[in-house]
Amino acid sequence: MSFLLLLACAGPPVTPATPVGSPSTAELSTSFGHPLIIGHRGAPGYLPEHTLAGYQRAVEMGADYIEPDLVITRDGHLVARHEHELGGSTNVAEVFPDRRTTRVIEGRSVSGWFSEDFSLAEVKSLRARQVLDTRSSEHDDLYAIPTFQEVLDLVKTLEVQSGRRIGVYPETKHPGYFDEIGLSLEEPLLEQLTDHGYQSADAPVFIQSFEEANLRELDKKTNLRLVQLLRPGDLPKDLASVATYADGIGIHKSSLLTEAVSGVGAVSPELVNEAHAAGLLVHVYTFRDEPRYLASSYAGDPVAELKDYFDAGVDGVFSDFSDTAVRARSQRESGAEP
Ligand code: G3P
Ligand code: CA
Protein backbone atom coordinates (compact mmCIF):
# COMPACT_ATOMS: atom_id res chain seq x y z
CA MET A 1 0.00 0.00 0.00
CA SER A 2 1.40 3.38 -0.94
CA PHE A 3 2.11 6.10 1.62
CA LEU A 4 -0.62 8.21 0.04
CA LEU A 5 -3.22 5.47 0.31
CA LEU A 6 -2.21 4.72 3.90
CA LEU A 7 -2.72 8.36 4.78
CA ALA A 8 -6.08 8.45 3.09
CA CYS A 9 -7.69 5.39 4.64
CA ALA A 10 -9.97 5.42 7.66
CA GLY A 11 -8.54 4.39 11.02
CA PRO A 12 -5.62 5.75 12.99
CA PRO A 13 -3.41 8.23 11.19
CA VAL A 14 -0.25 6.78 9.75
CA THR A 15 2.88 8.80 10.29
CA PRO A 16 5.96 7.39 8.59
CA ALA A 17 9.07 7.16 10.72
CA THR A 18 11.23 10.27 10.42
CA PRO A 19 14.24 9.33 8.29
CA VAL A 20 17.62 9.49 10.01
CA GLY A 21 19.20 12.88 9.40
CA SER A 22 15.87 14.64 8.75
CA PRO A 23 15.70 18.29 9.80
CA SER A 24 13.96 19.26 13.02
CA THR A 25 11.23 21.92 12.83
CA ALA A 26 13.73 24.52 14.04
CA GLU A 27 16.03 23.68 11.11
CA LEU A 28 13.40 23.98 8.38
CA SER A 29 13.54 26.79 5.86
CA THR A 30 11.12 29.41 7.16
CA SER A 31 11.13 31.76 4.23
CA PHE A 32 7.76 31.61 2.52
CA GLY A 33 7.28 32.89 -0.99
CA HIS A 34 5.52 36.18 -1.59
CA PRO A 35 2.71 36.37 -2.49
CA LEU A 36 1.76 33.25 -0.55
CA ILE A 37 0.28 30.37 -2.50
CA ILE A 38 -2.52 28.81 -0.46
CA GLY A 39 -3.72 25.36 -1.51
CA HIS A 40 -7.45 26.15 -1.43
CA ARG A 41 -9.26 23.10 0.01
CA GLY A 42 -6.14 21.05 -0.86
CA ALA A 43 -5.84 20.43 -4.57
CA PRO A 44 -9.44 20.18 -5.81
CA GLY A 45 -8.42 20.81 -9.38
CA TYR A 46 -6.97 17.29 -9.29
CA LEU A 47 -8.34 15.34 -6.31
CA PRO A 48 -11.47 15.51 -4.14
CA GLU A 49 -11.28 18.54 -1.86
CA HIS A 50 -10.31 18.35 1.80
CA THR A 51 -8.55 14.98 1.69
CA LEU A 52 -5.08 14.20 2.99
CA ALA A 53 -4.10 13.18 -0.52
CA GLY A 54 -5.29 16.57 -1.79
CA TYR A 55 -3.38 18.54 0.85
CA GLN A 56 -0.27 16.49 0.11
CA ARG A 57 -0.66 17.15 -3.62
CA ALA A 58 -0.89 20.89 -2.98
CA VAL A 59 2.34 20.82 -0.98
CA GLU A 60 4.06 18.74 -3.65
CA MET A 61 2.98 21.36 -6.20
CA GLY A 62 4.67 24.05 -4.11
CA ALA A 63 1.87 25.54 -2.01
CA ASP A 64 3.16 27.52 0.97
CA TYR A 65 -0.01 26.93 3.01
CA ILE A 66 -2.84 24.41 2.93
CA GLU A 67 -6.40 25.43 3.71
CA PRO A 68 -8.67 23.12 5.74
CA ASP A 69 -12.25 24.34 6.16
CA LEU A 70 -13.49 23.00 9.51
CA VAL A 71 -16.84 21.66 10.74
CA ILE A 72 -17.53 19.42 13.74
CA THR A 73 -19.03 16.01 14.50
CA ARG A 74 -21.70 15.13 17.07
CA ASP A 75 -18.96 13.92 19.44
CA GLY A 76 -16.88 17.08 19.09
CA HIS A 77 -14.20 16.20 16.53
CA LEU A 78 -13.13 18.82 14.01
CA VAL A 79 -13.17 17.44 10.47
CA ALA A 80 -12.20 19.06 7.19
CA ARG A 81 -15.22 19.84 4.99
CA HIS A 82 -16.28 22.97 3.20
CA GLU A 83 -19.85 22.40 4.36
CA HIS A 84 -21.27 20.58 7.36
CA GLU A 85 -23.89 19.27 4.93
CA LEU A 86 -22.00 16.18 3.81
CA GLY A 87 -24.15 15.14 0.85
CA GLY A 88 -22.41 17.47 -1.58
CA SER A 89 -18.89 16.16 -1.00
CA THR A 90 -19.21 12.51 0.13
CA ASN A 91 -21.09 9.26 -0.45
CA VAL A 92 -23.16 9.77 2.73
CA ALA A 93 -26.48 9.44 0.85
CA GLU A 94 -25.57 5.88 -0.06
CA VAL A 95 -24.07 4.89 3.31
CA PHE A 96 -26.75 6.47 5.51
CA PRO A 97 -29.85 6.89 3.30
CA ASP A 98 -32.20 7.16 6.31
CA ARG A 99 -30.32 9.96 8.05
CA ARG A 100 -31.35 12.79 5.74
CA THR A 101 -32.93 15.62 7.68
CA THR A 102 -33.83 19.31 7.49
CA ARG A 103 -32.25 21.98 9.64
CA VAL A 104 -32.56 25.74 9.87
CA ILE A 105 -29.09 27.20 9.55
CA GLU A 106 -28.58 30.95 9.84
CA GLY A 107 -32.24 31.48 8.98
CA ARG A 108 -32.21 29.14 5.98
CA SER A 109 -33.90 25.76 5.76
CA VAL A 110 -31.39 23.20 4.47
CA SER A 111 -31.96 19.50 3.83
CA GLY A 112 -29.21 16.90 3.82
CA TRP A 113 -26.82 15.03 6.08
CA PHE A 114 -25.09 17.21 8.68
CA SER A 115 -21.76 16.58 10.38
CA GLU A 116 -23.25 17.48 13.76
CA ASP A 117 -25.63 14.51 13.49
CA PHE A 118 -22.82 11.99 12.92
CA SER A 119 -20.14 10.55 15.17
CA LEU A 120 -16.53 10.64 14.06
CA ALA A 121 -16.65 6.86 13.55
CA GLU A 122 -19.60 7.33 11.18
CA VAL A 123 -17.89 10.17 9.31
CA LYS A 124 -14.82 7.97 8.98
CA SER A 125 -16.91 5.36 7.15
CA LEU A 126 -17.59 7.88 4.36
CA ARG A 127 -15.50 8.66 1.30
CA ALA A 128 -14.89 12.00 -0.38
CA ARG A 129 -16.16 12.97 -3.82
CA GLN A 130 -15.40 15.69 -6.31
CA VAL A 131 -17.72 18.61 -5.68
CA LEU A 132 -17.83 20.19 -9.13
CA ASP A 133 -19.48 18.13 -11.85
CA THR A 134 -17.25 19.85 -14.40
CA ARG A 135 -14.18 18.15 -12.86
CA SER A 136 -13.07 14.53 -13.04
CA SER A 137 -14.75 12.06 -10.67
CA GLU A 138 -12.12 9.38 -11.23
CA HIS A 139 -10.83 9.74 -7.66
CA ASP A 140 -14.24 9.60 -6.00
CA ASP A 141 -14.79 7.19 -3.07
CA LEU A 142 -11.06 6.59 -2.53
CA TYR A 143 -10.27 8.96 0.31
CA ALA A 144 -11.55 9.32 3.86
CA ILE A 145 -12.63 12.58 5.51
CA PRO A 146 -9.67 13.77 7.59
CA THR A 147 -9.80 15.13 11.11
CA PHE A 148 -8.02 18.43 11.80
CA GLN A 149 -5.64 16.43 13.97
CA GLU A 150 -4.71 14.28 10.96
CA VAL A 151 -4.22 17.38 8.80
CA LEU A 152 -1.82 18.87 11.35
CA ASP A 153 0.03 15.55 11.65
CA LEU A 154 0.33 15.44 7.86
CA VAL A 155 1.80 18.95 7.80
CA LYS A 156 4.49 17.92 10.27
CA THR A 157 5.33 14.85 8.18
CA LEU A 158 5.45 16.82 4.93
CA GLU A 159 7.65 19.48 6.52
CA VAL A 160 10.23 16.84 7.36
CA GLN A 161 10.00 15.29 3.91
CA SER A 162 10.20 18.59 2.02
CA GLY A 163 12.66 20.38 4.31
CA ARG A 164 10.50 23.50 4.37
CA ARG A 165 7.87 24.89 6.68
CA ILE A 166 4.31 24.49 5.51
CA GLY A 167 1.62 26.82 6.75
CA VAL A 168 -1.89 25.95 7.91
CA TYR A 169 -4.85 28.21 7.10
CA PRO A 170 -7.94 26.78 8.87
CA GLU A 171 -11.37 28.33 8.34
CA THR A 172 -14.10 28.06 10.96
CA LYS A 173 -17.34 27.25 9.13
CA HIS A 174 -20.62 28.46 10.66
CA PRO A 175 -19.02 29.08 14.08
CA GLY A 176 -22.01 31.02 15.44
CA TYR A 177 -24.40 28.23 14.47
CA PHE A 178 -22.17 25.59 16.06
CA ASP A 179 -21.99 27.69 19.25
CA GLU A 180 -25.81 27.75 19.34
CA ILE A 181 -26.04 23.95 19.25
CA GLY A 182 -23.32 23.49 21.88
CA LEU A 183 -20.54 22.38 19.57
CA SER A 184 -18.12 25.29 19.73
CA LEU A 185 -15.29 25.19 17.20
CA GLU A 186 -12.85 27.59 18.87
CA GLU A 187 -11.74 25.48 21.82
CA PRO A 188 -10.78 22.29 19.94
CA LEU A 189 -9.25 24.42 17.18
CA LEU A 190 -6.92 26.31 19.52
CA GLU A 191 -6.19 23.23 21.63
CA GLN A 192 -5.05 21.21 18.63
CA LEU A 193 -3.01 24.06 17.22
CA THR A 194 -1.33 24.52 20.59
CA ASP A 195 -0.63 20.78 20.81
CA HIS A 196 1.19 21.05 17.48
CA GLY A 197 3.29 23.98 18.64
CA TYR A 198 1.32 26.80 17.01
CA GLN A 199 0.79 29.61 19.49
CA SER A 200 2.62 32.78 18.56
CA ALA A 201 2.03 35.51 16.00
CA ASP A 202 5.00 34.33 13.96
CA ALA A 203 3.71 30.74 13.71
CA PRO A 204 2.84 29.73 10.12
CA VAL A 205 -0.89 29.85 10.78
CA PHE A 206 -3.77 32.08 9.72
CA ILE A 207 -7.23 31.41 11.18
CA GLN A 208 -9.96 32.75 8.86
CA SER A 209 -13.67 33.30 9.23
CA PHE A 210 -16.51 35.22 7.59
CA GLU A 211 -17.95 35.83 11.06
CA GLU A 212 -16.57 38.91 12.84
CA ALA A 213 -17.83 37.80 16.26
CA ASN A 214 -15.92 34.57 15.91
CA LEU A 215 -12.70 36.41 15.08
CA ARG A 216 -13.17 38.89 17.93
CA GLU A 217 -13.57 35.94 20.30
CA LEU A 218 -10.48 34.24 18.90
CA ASP A 219 -8.52 37.48 19.18
CA LYS A 220 -9.02 37.37 22.94
CA LYS A 221 -7.84 33.77 23.14
CA THR A 222 -4.86 33.49 20.82
CA ASN A 223 -1.86 35.34 19.43
CA LEU A 224 -2.14 33.45 16.14
CA ARG A 225 -2.90 35.61 13.11
CA LEU A 226 -6.52 36.10 12.11
CA VAL A 227 -8.07 36.90 8.74
CA GLN A 228 -11.49 38.47 8.21
CA LEU A 229 -13.11 36.94 5.13
CA LEU A 230 -15.28 39.35 3.16
CA ARG A 231 -17.86 38.70 0.48
CA PRO A 232 -17.81 40.94 -2.60
CA GLY A 233 -20.81 43.03 -1.54
CA ASP A 234 -19.71 43.20 2.05
CA LEU A 235 -16.53 45.27 2.06
CA PRO A 236 -16.12 47.32 5.26
CA LYS A 237 -15.76 51.07 5.10
CA ASP A 238 -13.55 51.10 8.16
CA LEU A 239 -10.55 48.86 7.60
CA ALA A 240 -8.86 50.35 10.67
CA SER A 241 -11.62 48.79 12.74
CA VAL A 242 -10.94 45.37 11.20
CA ALA A 243 -7.28 45.83 12.05
CA THR A 244 -8.14 46.02 15.77
CA TYR A 245 -8.88 42.27 15.82
CA ALA A 246 -7.51 40.84 12.55
CA ASP A 247 -4.19 40.73 10.73
CA GLY A 248 -5.56 40.49 7.24
CA ILE A 249 -8.58 40.39 4.99
CA GLY A 250 -9.57 37.61 2.61
CA ILE A 251 -11.43 39.03 -0.37
CA HIS A 252 -13.09 37.62 -3.47
CA LYS A 253 -11.08 38.30 -6.60
CA SER A 254 -13.95 40.31 -8.11
CA SER A 255 -13.53 42.84 -5.26
CA LEU A 256 -10.47 44.21 -7.06
CA LEU A 257 -11.97 44.41 -10.53
CA THR A 258 -12.84 47.89 -11.73
CA GLU A 259 -15.67 46.42 -13.79
CA ALA A 260 -16.70 43.60 -11.47
CA VAL A 261 -20.12 43.23 -13.01
CA SER A 262 -18.89 42.42 -16.48
CA GLY A 263 -15.81 40.63 -15.17
CA VAL A 264 -13.57 42.11 -17.83
CA GLY A 265 -12.14 45.12 -16.03
CA ALA A 266 -8.62 45.76 -14.86
CA VAL A 267 -7.36 44.61 -11.47
CA SER A 268 -7.11 47.68 -9.26
CA PRO A 269 -4.60 48.01 -6.40
CA GLU A 270 -6.81 50.56 -4.59
CA LEU A 271 -8.32 48.29 -1.95
CA VAL A 272 -4.98 46.52 -1.47
CA ASN A 273 -3.28 49.85 -0.80
CA GLU A 274 -6.01 50.89 1.64
CA ALA A 275 -5.74 47.61 3.52
CA HIS A 276 -1.96 47.86 3.68
CA ALA A 277 -2.25 51.40 5.00
CA ALA A 278 -4.47 50.01 7.77
CA GLY A 279 -1.85 47.37 8.56
CA LEU A 280 -3.80 44.49 7.01
CA LEU A 281 -2.56 41.76 4.70
CA VAL A 282 -4.68 40.99 1.64
CA HIS A 283 -5.32 37.41 0.53
CA VAL A 284 -7.59 36.77 -2.46
CA TYR A 285 -9.93 33.84 -3.18
CA THR A 286 -10.41 31.76 -5.35
CA PHE A 287 -8.21 31.17 -8.39
CA ARG A 288 -9.18 28.34 -10.70
CA ASP A 289 -7.70 27.29 -14.04
CA GLU A 290 -10.87 26.57 -15.93
CA PRO A 291 -11.79 29.26 -18.48
CA ARG A 292 -15.30 29.56 -17.04
CA TYR A 293 -13.77 31.19 -13.93
CA LEU A 294 -11.61 33.64 -15.88
CA ALA A 295 -12.59 37.02 -17.24
CA SER A 296 -12.85 36.80 -21.01
CA SER A 297 -9.97 39.26 -21.38
CA TYR A 298 -7.56 36.52 -20.18
CA ALA A 299 -8.44 34.29 -23.13
CA GLY A 300 -8.30 31.19 -20.94
CA ASP A 301 -4.88 31.94 -19.43
CA PRO A 302 -4.98 31.59 -15.61
CA VAL A 303 -1.30 32.60 -15.27
CA ALA A 304 -2.04 35.99 -16.84
CA GLU A 305 -4.87 36.51 -14.36
CA LEU A 306 -2.71 35.63 -11.36
CA LYS A 307 0.06 37.98 -12.51
CA ASP A 308 -2.39 40.88 -12.62
CA TYR A 309 -3.31 40.25 -8.98
CA PHE A 310 0.33 39.90 -7.99
CA ASP A 311 1.02 43.22 -9.73
CA ALA A 312 -1.78 44.79 -7.67
CA GLY A 313 0.23 43.95 -4.55
CA VAL A 314 -1.82 41.14 -2.99
CA ASP A 315 -0.08 39.13 -0.25
CA GLY A 316 -1.52 35.73 -1.04
CA VAL A 317 -3.86 33.79 -3.30
CA PHE A 318 -6.15 30.83 -2.60
CA SER A 319 -5.88 28.52 -5.58
CA ASP A 320 -7.49 25.21 -6.55
CA PHE A 321 -4.40 24.69 -8.74
CA SER A 322 -1.32 25.50 -6.66
CA ASP A 323 0.96 24.45 -9.52
CA THR A 324 -0.46 27.19 -11.73
CA ALA A 325 -0.12 29.82 -9.00
CA VAL A 326 3.47 28.77 -8.28
CA ARG A 327 4.25 28.96 -12.01
CA ALA A 328 2.79 32.46 -12.24
CA ARG A 329 4.80 33.61 -9.24
CA SER A 330 8.03 32.08 -10.61
CA GLN A 331 7.57 33.63 -14.04
CA ARG A 332 6.91 37.02 -12.52
CA GLU A 333 9.97 36.78 -10.25
CA SER A 334 12.21 35.79 -13.13
CA GLY A 335 10.66 38.31 -15.52
CA ALA A 336 9.94 35.47 -17.93
CA GLU A 337 7.21 35.82 -20.52
CA PRO A 338 4.65 32.99 -20.42
O1 G3P B 1 -11.34 30.84 2.65
C1 G3P B 1 -11.15 31.53 1.48
C2 G3P B 1 -12.16 30.97 0.62
O2 G3P B 1 -12.00 29.59 0.73
C3 G3P B 1 -13.52 31.35 1.08
O3 G3P B 1 -14.41 30.73 0.34
O4 G3P B 1 -16.24 29.23 0.24
O5 G3P B 1 -14.07 28.47 -0.62
O6 G3P B 1 -14.43 28.66 1.81
P1 G3P B 1 -14.78 29.20 0.46
CA1 CA C 1 -12.31 28.33 2.79
Side-chain angles (χ1 to χ4, degrees), residues 40-41 50 67-70 82 169-173 208 210 229 285-286 318:
H40 179 249
R41 309 187 197 175
H50 294 308
E67 192 234 2
D69 293 321
L70 297 177
H82 181 256
Y169 208 128
E171 178 181 349
T172 52
K173 286 290 183 184
Q208 50 170 334
F210 280 105
L229 295 174
Y285 64 90
T286 298
F318 294 87

Side-chain angles (χ1 to χ4, degrees), residues 97-147:
D98 301 335
R99 300 276 291 276
R100 190 170 192 269
T101 189
T102 299
R103 284 180 168 263
V104 177
I105 293 132
E106 295 156 6
R108 253 181 355 118
S109 180
V110 185
S111 294
W113 292 258
F114 298 93
S115 66
E116 61 268 31
D117 294 332
F118 289 81
S119 67
L120 178 61
E122 289 172 333
V123 168
K124 278 295 186 185
S125 72
L126 306 177
R127 291 295 178 268
R129 289 184 172 172
Q130 178 59 257
V131 168
L132 297 178
D133 57 14
T134 50
R135 289 179 176 166
S136 169
S137 57
E138 66 177 313
H139 301 285
D140 281 8
D141 297 346
L142 294 178
Y143 302 114
I145 288 35
T147 62

Side-chain angles (χ1 to χ4, degrees), residues 4 7-9 39-44 46-59 66-69 79-82 89-90 124 126-130 139-147 150-151 154 158:
L4 204 64
L7 279 172
C9 286
H40 179 249
R41 309 187 197 175
Y46 302 99
L47 294 171
E49 67 182 36
H50 294 308
T51 57
L52 294 181
Y55 297 131
Q56 176 163 348
R57 178 72 66 89
V59 169
I66 58 167
E67 192 234 2
D69 293 321
V79 293
R81 289 289 90 195
H82 181 256
S89 68
T90 75
K124 278 295 186 185
L126 306 177
R127 291 295 178 268
R129 289 184 172 172
Q130 178 59 257
H139 301 285
D140 281 8
D141 297 346
L142 294 178
Y143 302 114
I145 288 35
T147 62
E150 289 168 338
V151 176
L154 173 70
L158 295 176

